[in-house]
Amino acid sequence: METEEKMGREIKGDPDIEQDQAQEERARTAIITGASSGMGKWFAILAPRYFSDLEEVWLVARSRDKLQKLGDRIAVHYPDVKVRLLVTDLLEGDVELKFRRKLKERNPQVELLVNSAGIGMMGKVEQQQTQELLDMIDLNCRALTSITAETLPYIGEGGHIIQMASAAAFVPQPGFAVYAATKSYVDSFARALNRELKGRKICVTSVCPGCVNTPFFAVAQKYEKLSAFKKIFMSGDRDVVHLAYQDAIRKKDRSVYGIWMKAFHVLCKILPQEMIMFFVK
């Protein structure tokens, strides 16, 4: 397992030789952001199972300890898969440059990109700090877009991109306004990109679950608690990831887990948004 202390560090040794070696090897690679917990963790654990020809898995998150434990777990089950730990905060201002350098250094053949990193905050906009609102936009939208755009030149025919959206994308959500808006962006971006990349035979899947039992809510409930009603429909993170991979392999542009969220999606198409927002709140 290899830990990258800094994504943008210089290559040691002769850069021309190492660049030539990287081009020759072109390791078949999965890149997963937000890999340290929740659905990102399961995307990482299950990636070699669904994409059996992977040679490397890049795990991107802030927590070195959590990534190390996850990397060890993957190594036990898939000893032939090299794990690289990219310890970084995607909210850092220069993360795009660092990630671009890392891709250029390694020159991977990316078969799978999963953008699972994200944050949300429940509560009225006026309750929240401005920086918290901007962080949601920066991580959920800007960083996701940047990572996707930087990785696209390295994705070959038959590659897959999975973007973590949410059922919150289906309708505006009072009390979850900025988060829902960012996920609406992700869903729209993913489905449009899927259409753009058909000529390259790259599939982009927008994953839109409802409430999922992950550490996400430890942060999200800072200002407002999740209603008992919504908890009834909470899904398991592993189950959502299994379906996401299955739908991606089936080349679906959207993955919606569970009969209740599928029904909610249909209702959002046929009922006035004002009515949906009333009942959601």
Side-chain angles (χ1 to χ4, degrees):
M1 188 188 310
E2 179 171 326
T3 301
E4 303 292 351
E5 294 296 337
K6 186 178 180 183
M7 282 172 54
R9 71 181 183 183
E10 296 297 324
I11 300 178
K12 295 181 181 179
D14 189 324
D16 294 328
I17 292 176
E18 296 210 11
Q19 184 176 11
D20 290 341
Q21 289 174 341
Q23 289 177 352
E24 290 174 5
E25 293 169 1
R26 299 279 348 248
R28 294 186 291 273
T29 302
I31 300 175
I32 300 164
T33 71
S36 60
S37 64
M39 285 181 285
K41 178 188 71 175
W42 284 110
F43 274 119
I45 291 170
L46 295 173
R49 173 175 171 179
Y50 283 96
F51 298 86
S52 58
D53 60 346
L54 287 176
E55 297 172 301
E56 292 190 5
V57 176
W58 293 13
L59 307 179
V60 184
R62 293 178 299 174
S63 172
R64 182 185 301 123
D65 291 342
K66 290 181 179 179
L67 288 185
Q68 186 72 49
K69 290 178 182 178
L70 177 59
D72 292 340
R73 180 172 179 175
I74 294 172
V76 168
H77 293 285
Y78 304 98
D80 294 332
V81 177
K82 179 180 289 187
V83 179
R84 298 189 187 278
L85 310 183
L86 278 62
V87 182
T88 191
D89 185 346
L90 293 179
L91 286 174
E92 290 181 355
D94 59 347
V95 70
E96 293 93 345
L97 178 60
K98 293 178 179 180
F99 190 69
R100 186 184 310 139
R101 286 175 177 170
K102 186 54 56 183
L103 287 169
K104 188 174 181 181
E105 288 173 10
R106 298 296 180 187
N107 192 30
Q109 179 182 319
V110 178
E111 296 198 354
L112 171 67
L113 169 65
V114 180
N115 276 305
S116 187
I119 53 174
M121 200 76 70
M122 299 167 59
K124 295 180 180 179
V125 172
E126 63 184 354
Q127 290 178 288
Q128 300 174 48
Q129 299 296 317
T130 301
Q131 191 57 52
E132 292 173 333
L133 301 173
L134 296 178
D135 284 348
M136 275 189 276
I137 297 170
D138 283 347
L139 183 57
N140 298 354
C141 298
R142 182 193 58 77
L144 176 144
T145 304
S146 173
I147 294 294
T148 301
E150 295 294 346
T151 307
L152 273 177
Y154 298 86
I155 303 177
E157 183 176 303
H160 291 80
I161 301 173
I162 293 177
Q163 310 283 36
M164 275 307 307
S166 168
F170 300 155
V171 67
Q173 302 254 341
F176 218 3
V178 173
Y179 176 80
T182 64
K183 292 306 181 178
S184 181
Y185 169 87
V186 173
D187 183 54
S188 177
F189 172 59
R191 298 182 70 213
L193 186 62
N194 180 62
R195 179 71 62 171
E196 289 182 6
L197 296 175
K198 282 190 178 297
R200 291 177 56 186
K201 297 183 179 179
I202 297 172
C203 177
V204 185
T205 303
S206 172
V207 181
C208 299
C211 296
V212 182
N213 189 14
T214 72
F216 170 88
F217 286 103
V219 175
Q221 297 183 87
K222 178 179 178 180
Y223 297 102
E224 186 174 306
K225 299 299 181 183
L226 184 68
S227 69
F229 177 75
K230 288 186 177 181
K231 289 180 181 179
I232 296 174
F233 304 104
M234 187 167 284
S235 304
D237 48 6
R238 182 174 181 174
D239 296 331
V240 172
V241 170
H242 271 300
L243 181 64
Y245 273 142
Q246 291 164 12
D247 285 342
I249 290 170
R250 295 183 189 119
K251 301 188 184 304
K252 291 187 176 183
D253 68 345
R254 183 185 272 151
S255 177
V256 181
Y257 180 83
I259 187 171
W260 294 112
M261 285 305 106
K262 289 177 180 177
F264 177 65
H265 184 209
V266 172
L267 287 175
C268 289
K269 290 181 177 181
I270 62 177
L271 295 180
Q273 285 196 341
E274 287 293 332
M275 183 182 296
I276 297 291
M277 283 193 285
F278 174 79
F279 284 110
V280 166
K281 182 57 181 174

